[in-house]
Amino acid sequence: MQNPKNNIVKQINRPIAIFEIIFILLSAVSLFMYNMHHYINDRFESGNKVGQNTAAILESYQSLGFLIPYWQEHFEEMEFFYDDTEKFIQKENALRKKLPELTEIEYITSQDAENLDADGQKLLAEICYFQLSQTFDRNKRTYQPLYLYGFVVRDNEMFFLVTGAKENELRISSGGEYLYELGCTNPYQKGWYPILDEILKTGQPSPSMELSMQKGADRSVVHVFEPVYVDDELAMIVGVSMQWKDLLSGTLRISCLVAVITGLLFVILGVVFLRLLKKIVIKPLRKEQDSINQYKETKNAEETIQELSHISCENEIEELAEDFSSMIQEIENHIKNIRTVTAEKERISAELDMAKSIQESQLPSIFPAFPDRPEFDIYASMTPAKKVGGDFYDFFFIDNNHLVMVMADVSGKGVPAALFMMASKILVNNYAMMGLSPHEILERTNETICKNNQLKMFVTVWIGILEISTGKVIAANAGHEYPILRQPNGEFELVKDKHGFVIGGIKGKKYKEYEFTMQKGSTLFVYTDGVPEATNANEELFGTERLLEILNQKPDAMPQQLLTNVHETVNTFVGDAPQFDDLTML
């Protein structure tokens, strides 16, 4: 799109600029006519107020007679920490250890200060300097003088003690355009500041109004000085400097005239501005608004875009109308894409539901599983973290006296893990039905998976073959969780078997078998890591200790009740936290 000939700012500012120039010229003439005597008097009185207030605060410090010479002699050793309240509190606490009876810093006398050791005197000087700097800063920010400072005059120079600073001003030792801090000096010559000369000569404040200007400096600065006394002796001086332009005020007649002129100009300017605003901005914007509202009601993108194309005002509003047109077209395209994506998600969701049904159908799910075998009872469950999971369990007879039990956990989640799980389950089942021992079943399964495992997936497997007649279990473990066994009248305990490597990890891996016996009345519990690694909102794991604890609360419970107890306890522990892993138990 081509750039418009004009923009809103230019179209409105051109006429307004003319009136602003007239306003500025009239204001400048009016201000130039102010009564200068009244003007200077205001400056003097304002400066006196600041100086007297600051001097009174300085004189409230009973140790000022000690502080002034100490600051002059030891300023290079002192630490300055303007506005650092935390450091001030640390140093104040350190001083209070030296003066346990201390109430307020201001009440420390010069005699008390002289009795302190060197560290205590330094602490007192730094603390008082911090507090007085805060006072000077506060007064300067309240009354807004150009400079506010405390100093002594010695050897034809002004030795600066304390200086006030505004929020955006800095204190440095080199002077220049910045404020002086403790230890800085400035040349002083008699006659530069008549008011100061009078104070130094008589030791008394001068009530006269007199302009005191630094030689060669800008003569629009008013200087006011206020003496500070210690034991009725002049100890230091507070200086206040002000610029006329910072404190402008005028006579009532001229001020009223300026106010009337300003008001009339603003009324005229406002009327013209509103008329231009309505013509150039409001009417086109309302037309755009009507078009957008029409689209919201009718959803007719073609008609709305046609309406927006009729807006022509040669500025940013015309650009905005074109942007609205582009946005509406993008919205229409986006809605079409959303419909397509939604349909695809629904199709994928339906396929995942079907995959879940297929996966669940491959796991034993009818209980009691062997109603004609009174020697034992068995129960298992699997709760996937996603619609389809990677865990699986299995149990089946290879002959009338041998029951195979399998618990496995595939790496990963979702559809890939589910497919890998199906393949692993079939292989374990097939090799078991061939009459192989547990370690041979794991080795054969590992070899078969490793032949074509391009995705480098793996599965942990615990397999045990129970001889029903004797209760003997021959088992092998490929990187899976420890089984948990409870003998009659005992408690559930971990069977810390020797783990082999995971299935699918290394080709040619060997696995070791081990044996244990399940006596009449004993219980075997196997599970995947989704149980002990269940995590709550505080990132805390459920853990094996809690698992053993819940199993041992009702150790004689039937298999289904045991799994229900564990599942409910895990759900309570996890709370609203998401389930990150499949939860499988047998």
Side-chain angles (χ1 to χ4, degrees):
M1 188 197 74
Q2 295 181 349
N3 291 329
K5 295 180 180 179
N6 296 300
N7 57 55
I8 295 174
V9 175
K10 289 181 179 179
Q11 290 176 331
I12 295 178
N13 276 354
R14 284 170 184 168
I16 291 179
I18 298 173
F19 291 101
E20 287 179 340
I21 292 172
I22 297 173
F23 167 75
I24 293 171
L25 290 175
L26 290 175
S27 298
V29 172
S30 299
L31 291 174
F32 184 76
M33 296 168 60
Y34 275 12
N35 186 308
M36 299 306 295
H37 179 78
H38 175 74
Y39 180 61
I40 296 171
N41 186 65
D42 284 347
R43 306 303 158 285
F44 187 84
E45 293 298 326
S46 177
N48 266 341
K49 184 177 180 181
V50 179
Q52 291 169 3
N53 177 274
T54 307
I57 294 175
L58 281 164
E59 290 174 350
S60 68
Y61 281 74
Q62 298 181 21
S63 59
L64 191 62
F66 163 80
L67 292 172
I68 293 174
Y70 186 91
W71 288 337
Q72 295 180 64
E73 296 173 8
H74 301 279
F75 67 89
E76 294 180 342
E77 306 163 13
M78 291 173 56
E79 179 182 7
F80 303 107
F81 45 97
Y82 307 109
D83 298 324
D84 191 343
T85 306
E86 183 177 352
K87 182 167 290 187
F88 165 74
I89 294 173
Q90 293 175 356
K91 290 182 177 289
E92 186 183 39
N93 290 336
L95 180 61
R96 289 185 181 279
K97 291 181 180 179
K98 296 178 178 293
L99 294 173
E101 70 281 6
L102 175 62
T103 56
E104 296 293 335
I105 299 297
E106 293 87 337
Y107 297 151
I108 299 177
T109 65
S110 295
Q111 185 61 47
D112 294 333
E114 293 291 346
N115 293 335
L116 289 170
D117 58 20
D119 289 338
Q121 291 178 346
K122 182 172 178 290
L123 283 171
L124 176 62
E126 291 173 345
I127 291 170
C128 290
Y129 191 80
F130 170 88
Q131 288 184 329
L132 288 171
S133 294
Q134 294 278 306
T135 298
F136 273 61
D137 291 351
R138 186 164 53 251
N139 284 349
K140 184 172 185 182
R141 294 168 189 178
T142 301
Y143 298 102
Q144 297 292 312
L146 180 62
Y147 300 111
L148 176 61
Y149 49 96
F151 64 98
V152 295
V153 177
R154 64 179 194 183
D155 301 326
N156 295 323
E157 66 178 12
M158 300 169 68
F159 184 95
F160 290 89
L161 299 174
V162 189
T163 307
K166 298 179 182 178
E167 291 83 351
N168 59 345
E169 293 179 329
L170 301 175
R171 298 182 180 90
I172 62 172
S173 297
S174 59
E177 295 181 355
Y178 298 91
L179 304 179
Y180 291 166
E181 64 182 1
L182 177 59
C184 295
T185 60
N186 211 29
Y188 171 73
Q189 183 174 327
K190 189 175 180 179
W192 281 2
Y193 307 104
I195 295 178
L196 179 57
D197 293 342
E198 184 69 15
I199 292 174
L200 293 175
K201 178 180 178 181
T202 65
Q204 299 297 324
S206 175
S208 63
M209 182 184 73
E210 185 174 2
L211 210 64
S212 177
M213 294 170 286
Q214 185 172 353
K215 211 168 187 179
D218 182 6
R219 294 180 179 271
S220 63
V221 177
V222 176
H223 300 282
V224 177
F225 300 98
E226 187 69 22
V228 178
Y229 300 100
V230 174
D231 297 330
D232 298 326
E233 294 288 333
L234 178 65
M236 62 180 289
I237 300 167
V238 174
V240 184
S241 301
M242 296 165 291
Q243 283 184 316
W244 293 358
K245 64 181 180 180
D246 294 334
L247 302 170
L248 292 177
S249 62
T251 62
L252 182 60
R253 183 179 61 83
I254 298 299
S255 298
C256 291
L257 179 61
V258 171
V260 171
I261 294 173
T262 302
L264 289 175
L265 286 175
F266 271 110
V267 169
I268 297 172
L269 184 63
V271 171
V272 175
F273 175 78
L274 290 175
R275 287 182 178 274
L276 290 173
L277 187 66
K278 184 176 180 180
K279 178 182 178 181
I280 299 172
V281 179
I282 296 177
K283 285 185 177 180
L285 283 178
R286 283 180 176 172
K287 190 173 182 180
E288 288 184 3
Q289 184 181 25
D290 293 340
S291 299
I292 297 301
N293 289 333
Q294 177 184 342
Y295 173 72
K296 287 166 60 179
E297 294 176 1
T298 64
K299 298 297 186 293
N300 189 331
E302 184 177 351
E303 182 179 347
T304 302
I305 292 174
Q306 184 67 23
E307 289 290 332
L308 291 171
S309 67
H310 292 155
I311 298 176
S312 177
C313 48
E314 297 182 345
N315 57 38
E316 289 91 337
I317 296 178
E318 183 178 340
E319 291 183 352
L320 184 62
E322 296 182 9
D323 291 339
F324 276 137
S325 299
S326 300
M327 182 183 67
I328 290 171
Q329 189 61 56
E330 290 178 2
I331 289 174
E332 290 295 309
N333 295 335
H334 186 62
I335 290 174
K336 292 179 182 178
N337 292 336
I338 289 176
R339 289 171 180 166
T340 302
V341 171
T342 301
E344 182 66 15
K345 285 184 176 180
E346 290 176 352
R347 183 187 64 79
I348 293 173
S349 179
E351 291 180 355
L352 285 174
D353 289 338
M354 185 179 296
K356 179 180 180 182
S357 298
I358 295 172
Q359 184 184 43
E360 290 176 348
S361 68
Q362 297 303 305
L363 301 178
S365 58
I366 299 175
F367 299 99
F370 306 105
D372 56 339
R373 299 301 298 263
E375 303 98 318
F376 68 93
D377 189 15
I378 191 167
Y379 188 83
S381 68
M382 195 272 281
T383 306
K386 297 185 177 181
K387 281 200 171 183
V388 291
D391 288 2
F392 71 89
Y393 65 84
D394 203 359
F395 51 84
F396 52 88
F397 278 103
I398 53 178
D399 58 43
N400 195 48
N401 194 37
H402 291 88
L403 176 69
V404 179
M405 298 171 289
V406 182
M407 180 61 62
D409 184 358
V410 174
S411 62
K413 304 289 181 296
V415 174
L419 294 174
F420 196 80
M421 161 260 181
M422 294 290 288
S424 302
K425 179 179 179 300
I426 292 171
L427 289 173
V428 171
N429 186 288
N430 288 344
Y431 288 131
M433 294 302 296
M434 293 170 60
L436 301 178
S437 64
H439 81 89
E440 292 174 328
I441 295 171
L442 296 182
E443 290 168 2
R444 292 280 191 93
T445 302
N446 183 60
E447 287 300 309
T448 304
I449 289 177
C450 286
K451 287 180 182 179
N452 189 23
N453 188 14
Q454 297 179 357
L455 296 179
K456 304 300 180 182
M457 298 185 72
F458 62 86
V459 57
T460 66
V461 181
W462 180 90
I463 182 170
I465 300 178
L466 169 64
E467 189 174 61
I468 304 297
S469 58
T470 63
K472 182 176 72 173
V473 177
I474 302 176
N477 192 330
H480 199 75
E481 301 292 319
Y482 292 130
I484 298 176
L485 179 65
R486 173 187 172 270
Q487 295 294 0
N489 301 320
E491 291 187 342
F492 282 96
E493 297 177 351
L494 291 175
V495 179
K496 294 190 177 182
D497 54 12
K498 185 172 183 180
H499 286 29
F501 202 64
V502 296
I503 300 297
I506 299 177
K507 190 175 181 180
K509 191 67 178 175
K510 300 298 181 182
Y511 297 91
K512 293 185 178 181
E513 295 177 351
Y514 65 95
E515 296 181 6
F516 59 88
T517 300
M518 295 184 64
Q519 303 174 19
K520 184 177 180 180
S522 60
T523 305
L524 176 66
F525 179 85
V526 288
Y527 52 97
T528 60
D529 59 5
V531 179
E533 293 180 6
T535 307
N536 61 18
N538 296 324
E539 302 294 328
E540 184 182 7
L541 297 179
F542 184 75
T544 306
E545 294 298 325
R546 286 189 179 89
L547 176 57
L548 290 170
E549 181 180 344
I550 190 61
L551 288 172
N552 285 317
Q553 285 182 1
K554 295 181 179 179
D556 295 322
M558 297 302 290
Q560 182 176 355
Q561 186 60 47
L562 274 176
L563 267 61
T564 300
N565 294 343
V566 173
H567 202 281
E568 290 178 351
T569 304
V570 170
N571 286 342
T572 301
F573 174 80
V574 171
D576 295 331
Q579 179 183 343
F580 290 108
D581 204 355
D582 303 334
L583 201 68
T584 308
M585 301 175 285
L586 178 146

